[in-house]
Every structure is written in structure tokens, then in C-alpha cells.
């Protein structure tokens, strides 16, 4: 009996030892992670690197291990890579009108005009032709008499918002920085000599397109503005020839002073790089060294004032006679005048491409000597801003041209209509087809 009790006790001890051994082999709870400081931000766990397609992922780190790629660099402030430049943004077809608000001022077109006397209506029609077809935002610099300033402000503010958002304007008094102001004011037509002083007055403007009041744009101003890019390193202004045939030109037959080239140049449409003009030294016939633009004007006028007929245009011809390398000459269709058709068509570029800028000098907008020019002027003047260009301008203009076929200029209506038709088609495609959508036009 005592032996049985001892055997049971040994068996119980063995079972207890076995149970304790089994408990010792069981894993215990994982220790808690070390506490982070309160200020340390919590980061999500990094995702595991993706396994390359078709291959097993390496099991240990090494030269062949697939390492996670670093995050892409944060883009820098400013224009993102691949984004269109402001220049491309300004020329993007079908761009809504709101793009004018983001166009940097340095990309605006600067257009200057000098209007005195009875030139208010002509100037407004010229500005209207500029905003009808152009795409980029424009800055109008209007030089006029104090009595005309309120009327300019009033008339321009009455235009529809869809057109006034395309430009800003500033009105300047007539001022001459050197010499006798009364002499300059009476030179040729009233205030016309003001254009000579634009580089001096508009000190913050880099480039400028100057036009006479009797100019009409038959295509976007943007297109003639692009000619500035064609200047070489020495050129600082651009004008068209006064005549295409030197043998019949005024300068080649009658001028008593030096003039540019074989037939002179016409200053009614003039592109200017004002920055270059202000920094250049101009050769001249007065002193052996060069003179700055402002220092040259009055001595030049004093020397030639008894020989000049066309005022400031003659002075410009004299300047570029001595400095021909500084002038870029653009073709006649950028400054098309009655002289190009009243004795027969002699502007070949206009025959090929159409008239781009119409210059109605000799007062032809207001008399019956050149009815083709008058018809174009009245069509733009009377066009209601919100009407359809084809219905309210182009078709009536074609009918008016039928009444001018008895004149030499009227016998070539395609010369006047070709460019304006192309411009109207582009405006139609931009504002109708691209905005409505080709699928909705069916």
C-alpha cells in the first residue's frame, strides 16, 4: 500500500514537471514599441516595393535587390515644365476672351496715333478696325489736343465690353521736348511732328506701332507686330516705300534734300523699337560723330527746314539716308495708298496677298475721288459692333464695290477684299465653330 502511494506521488511530480516544461516553451506577449516623442509626426508605413513583372523578388538586400524609387521632386514655383509660354497662350486658336486678363503687359501691342483738329472720327474708326480683328491685348497711346480728350474717353467707353476688354488707352497732351513748340506744331499738318518725339515721351515702352489717323487695319494688328522679330541687330524702325516705281515717285523727281533709297519711305505706318532708338547714335550731316535721337531732331530741322515739303516724313527720310542700316523696309501691302492703284496697279504683294493696312491719305475717305477707299472706310465706321461681320460688313461692301468699277482702283476689288475676307473667316471660325463645336453645326 505504501509502495502504491509513493508511485502515485512520483507520477504526479513527473506530470507537473512536464506541464511546467510545456509552459516554458510557449512564446510570451511582444514587448510594447518604444514611445515616440509628442512632437514627432506620425508617418504611414512605406508600401512594399512592387515585384518586377515576370521575375521573383529578391529575398535579401544586395546589388540585385529592387529598391524603392525616391519620390518625385516637388515642382518649383512658376511656369511648370511643358506648360505653354505666355506667347503661345496669346496665339492659341479658340482661346476664350478671358485670356486677355492673364496676358502679361510686356506682351501687349502698343499702338500710337496723333489726332488734332477734325481727326476725331477718323481716329476712332482706325481704332475700331484694330479691335475688330485683333487677338492680343493692345495699349492705345492717343496724343491729342485738350479739347478732344473728353470726347475720346466718352466714345471709347461706349463700346461693348467684349471689345473694351481687348485694350486700354491713355491720352497725352501735345508736347515737344526740344526746339520751338510752335514751329513743330505747324510743321506740315497740325501736330504731325509729334511722332518724332515718341521715343522721348514713351520712356517705358519698348516697341511701338505708329499709324496716321487715316489708316485702317484689314487684318489683325498682331500680324504687322510680328515684323519686329524680323529686325536684324542694327535695325530699329520699319516703313514702306513711298513709291514702287522710282521714275514716277515724288522724292526721286522733286526732293531737294537727302532721302532713303531710290524712292523714299512713307511714315504713315511705322514700327519702332524705342529701346534701340533711345540708345543709338545716329550718323548725320552736321557733326562727324553720332548724335542721340533727341539731340538730333531740332538741329536737323533747322538745317533742312527750307527744303522739306512733307514735314516730319522728310526728316525721317533724311535720318535714314545717313543711317540706312537701321531701317527695315516692309512691302507695300502694309501701307496701301491711292498711289498704288490710281495710275494702275503697282503693288504686287497686294495683288498676291491682298491689302493688309489701308492708308487713305489725300483725304480720299471724305470725297468721291477714290470711292473704293471711301466704301471701306464707311463700312467699318457704320458696322454695329455686335452684328455678324459677313452679313453687316462684307456683303454690303461687295455691293458698294460694284459701283466703283469705273475707277482704276475699283477694277481690282479682290485686292481690297482678299485679306479682309480671310480675316472675317478666321473670326467666324474662332467665335462660332470653335465655341459651338463642329458636331452642333450639323
Amino acid at each position: 500500500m505504501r509502495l502504491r502511494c509513493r508511485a502515485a506521488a512520483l507520477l504526479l511530480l513527473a506530470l507537473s514537471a512536464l506541464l511546467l516544461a510545456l509552459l516554458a516553451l510557449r512564446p510570451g506577449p511582444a514587448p510594447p514599441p518604444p514611445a515616440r516623442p509628442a512632437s514627432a509626426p506620425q508617418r504611414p508605413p512605406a508600401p512594399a516595393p512592387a515585384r518586377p513583372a515576370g521575375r521573383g523578388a529578391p529575398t535579401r538586400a544586395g546589388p540585385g535587390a529592387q529598391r524603392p524609387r525616391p519620390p518625385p521632386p516637388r515642382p518649383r514655383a512658376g511656369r511648370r515644365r511643358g506648360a505653354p509660354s505666355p506667347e503661345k497662350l496669346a496665339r492659341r486658336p479658340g482661346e476664350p476672351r478671358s485670356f486677355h486678363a492673364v496676358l502679361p503687359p510686356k506682351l501687349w501691342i502698343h499702338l500710337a496715333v496723333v489726332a488734332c483738329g477734325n481727326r476725331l472720327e477718323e481716329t476712332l474708326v482706325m481704332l475700331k478696325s484694330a479691335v475688330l480683328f485683333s487677338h492680343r491685348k493692345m495699349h492705345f497711346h492717343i496724343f491729342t489736343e485738350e479739347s478732344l480728350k473728353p470726347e475720346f474717353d466718352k466714345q471709347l467707353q461706349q463700346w461693348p465690353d467684349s471689345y473694351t476688354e481687348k485694350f486700354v488707352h491713355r491720352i497725352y497732351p501735345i508736347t515737344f521736348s526740344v526746339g520751338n513748340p510752335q514751329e513743330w506744331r505747324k510743321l506740315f499738318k497740325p501736330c504731325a511732328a509729334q511722332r518724332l518725339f515718341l521715343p522721348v515721351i514713351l520712356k517705358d515702352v519698348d516697341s511701338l506701332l505708329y499709324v496716321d489717323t487715316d489708316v485702317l487695319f484689314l487684318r489683325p494688328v498682331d500680324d504687322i507686330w510680328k515684323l519686329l522679330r524680323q529686325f536684324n541687330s542694327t535695325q530699329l524702325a520699319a516703313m514702306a516705300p513711298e513709291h514702287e516705281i522710282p521714275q514716277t515717285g515724288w522724292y526721286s523727281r522733286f526732293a531737294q534734300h537727302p532721302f532713303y533709297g531710290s524712292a523714299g519711305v512713307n511714315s504713315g505706318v511705322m514700327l519702332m523699337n524705342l529701346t534701340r532708338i533711345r540708345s543709338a547714335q545716329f550718323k548725320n550731316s552736321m557733326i562727324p560723330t553720332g548724335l542721340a535721337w533727341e539731340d538730333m531732331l531740332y538741329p536737323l530741322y533747322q538745317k533742312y527746314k527750307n527744303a522739306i515739303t512733307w514735314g516730319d516724313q522728310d526728316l525721317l527720310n533724311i535720318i535714314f539716308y545717313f543711317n540706312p542700316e537701321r531701317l527695315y523696309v516692309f512691302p507695300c501691302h502694309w501701307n496701301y495708298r491711292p498711289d498704288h492703284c490710281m495710275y494702275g496697279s503697282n503693288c504686287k504683294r497686294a495683288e498676291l496677298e491682298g491689302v493688309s493696312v489701308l492708308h487713305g491719305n489725300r483725304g480720299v475717305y471724305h470725297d468721291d475721288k477714290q470711292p473704293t477707299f471711301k466704301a471701306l472706310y464707311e463700312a467699318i465706321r457704320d458696322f454695329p459692333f455686335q452684328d455678324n461681320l459677313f452679313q453687316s460688313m462684307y456683303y454690303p461692301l461687295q455691293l458698294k464695290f460694284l459701283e466703283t468699277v469705273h475707277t482704276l482702283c475699283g477694277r481690282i476689288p479682290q485686292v481690297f477684299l482678299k485679306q479682309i475676307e480671310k480675316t472675317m473667316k478666321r473670326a467666324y471660325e474662332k467665335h462660332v465653330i470653335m465655341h459651338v463645336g463642329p458636331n452642333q453645326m450639323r
Side-chain angles (χ1 to χ4, degrees):
M1 184 69 181
R2 187 175 295 178
L3 290 173
R4 288 181 180 178
C5 290
R6 185 177 295 178
L10 291 173
L11 180 61
L12 183 61
L13 288 172
L15 290 173
S16 299
L18 180 62
L19 181 61
L20 290 173
L22 290 174
L23 290 174
L25 293 173
R26 189 177 175 183
R36 295 173 180 262
S39 59
Q42 298 292 326
R43 294 183 181 178
R51 179 174 299 184
R55 296 186 182 181
T59 57
R60 66 179 67 182
Q66 182 73 21
R67 297 180 181 178
R69 295 181 179 179
R74 182 175 297 177
R76 297 180 180 178
R79 185 166 66 91
R80 66 184 185 277
R81 186 176 182 181
S85 65
E87 291 86 350
K88 291 183 179 179
L89 179 66
R91 297 192 298 271
R92 182 183 295 169
E95 186 75 26
R97 292 185 183 277
S98 60
F99 88 92
H100 293 295
V102 299
L103 192 64
K106 68 178 182 179
L107 295 179
W108 292 4
I109 295 171
H110 290 264
L111 179 65
V113 63
V114 179
C116 291
N118 60 351
R119 300 290 179 144
L120 174 67
E121 182 190 275
E122 269 190 4
T123 307
L124 290 170
V125 177
M126 180 274 293
L127 297 175
K128 184 179 182 180
S129 72
V131 300
L132 276 177
F133 306 123
S134 296
H135 309 306
R136 286 169 61 177
K137 193 160 184 175
M138 291 175 286
H139 192 144
F140 296 152
H141 303 270
I142 304 171
F143 292 81
T144 190
E145 299 163 309
E146 191 63 31
S147 59
L148 294 179
K149 181 181 183 299
E151 194 63 24
F152 269 114
D153 284 327
K154 175 184 174 183
Q155 294 289 339
L156 292 174
Q157 290 169 5
Q158 289 177 353
W159 290 3
D161 292 343
S162 58
Y163 289 95
T164 56
E165 72 177 8
K166 295 174 66 175
F167 70 90
V168 295
H169 76 279
R170 182 178 175 186
I171 299 179
Y172 306 78
I174 302 297
T175 54
F176 304 100
S177 59
V178 296
N180 186 338
Q182 294 306 316
E183 282 187 286
W184 288 119
R185 185 178 289 270
K186 296 177 181 179
L187 184 65
F188 191 48
K189 294 180 180 179
C191 308
Q194 182 71 78
R195 85 185 78 184
L196 297 173
F197 295 86
L198 297 181
V200 180
I201 299 171
L202 302 177
K203 294 184 182 297
D204 296 329
V205 177
D206 175 69
S207 296
L208 184 75
L209 173 62
Y210 168 86
V211 294
D212 286 347
T213 61
D214 51 9
V215 160
L216 294 174
F217 295 98
L218 305 186
R219 66 189 288 182
V221 184
D222 316 47
D223 295 338
I224 189 171
W225 189 256
K226 293 175 184 176
L227 296 179
L228 286 165
R229 305 175 191 169
Q230 299 185 21
F231 285 16
N232 64 25
S233 60
T234 64
Q235 292 166 340
L236 45 73
M239 289 182 277
E242 174 68 20
H243 297 280
E244 296 301 301
I245 305 174
Q247 292 77 8
T248 61
W250 191 92
Y251 282 107
S252 54
R253 292 186 295 164
F254 305 115
Q256 301 298 312
H257 58 78
F259 56 88
Y260 178 86
S262 59
V265 286
N266 185 279
S267 61
V269 180
M270 185 177 179
L271 271 172
M272 292 181 278
N273 185 317
L274 300 184
T275 300
R276 290 186 179 184
I277 291 177
R278 286 188 288 262
S279 61
Q281 293 290 312
F282 293 85
K283 298 188 291 289
N284 59 87
S285 60
M286 296 168 288
I287 61 173
T289 59
L291 283 172
W293 182 269
E294 186 178 15
D295 298 334
M296 173 179 55
L297 293 178
Y298 193 63
L300 198 69
Y301 165 69
Q302 289 294 320
K303 179 172 182 176
Y304 292 102
K305 66 179 181 180
N306 294 324
I308 60 178
T309 303
W310 308 112
D312 52 299
Q313 177 173 292
D314 289 347
L315 290 177
L316 289 169
N317 268 279
I318 296 169
I319 290 172
F320 290 109
Y321 168 82
F322 290 105
N323 301 270
E325 75 284 356
R326 298 194 178 276
L327 186 66
Y328 176 92
V329 180
F330 50 66
C332 51
H333 69 296
W334 293 110
N335 187 351
Y336 191 91
R337 288 161 280 122
D339 305 71
H340 291 118
C341 58
M342 60 189 296
Y343 305 116
S345 180
N346 57 40
C347 179
K348 300 303 180 184
R349 288 294 292 271
E351 294 175 8
L352 294 173
E353 301 181 28
V355 176
S356 296
V357 179
L358 191 74
H359 186 181
N361 63 343
R362 305 175 184 266
V364 294
Y365 294 151
H366 312 292
D367 58 31
D368 297 321
K369 295 180 180 178
Q370 297 298 333
T372 310
F373 282 75
K374 185 178 181 180
L376 272 164
Y377 175 81
E378 292 178 347
I380 296 176
R381 181 195 65 188
D382 300 336
F383 171 71
F385 273 105
Q386 305 292 19
D387 280 13
N388 182 279
L389 282 168
F390 274 101
Q391 293 178 354
S392 299
M393 183 185 293
Y394 186 71
Y395 293 140
L397 195 56
Q398 286 183 313
L399 294 176
K400 283 188 176 183
F401 276 8
L402 293 176
E403 303 172 2
T404 70
V405 294
H406 63 283
T407 66
L408 287 174
C409 293
R411 292 179 185 177
I412 49 174
Q414 72 279 1
V415 169
F416 297 90
L417 292 174
K418 183 179 296 186
Q419 195 58 239
I420 197 171
E421 179 182 8
K422 183 187 298 184
T423 299
M424 288 181 181
K425 283 183 177 179
R426 284 200 297 183
Y428 176 77
E429 291 171 354
K430 177 181 178 182
H431 296 294
V432 178
I433 296 178
M434 291 184 180
H435 286 185
V436 176
N439 295 331
Q440 301 180 35
M441 296 292 292
R442 297 175 182 175

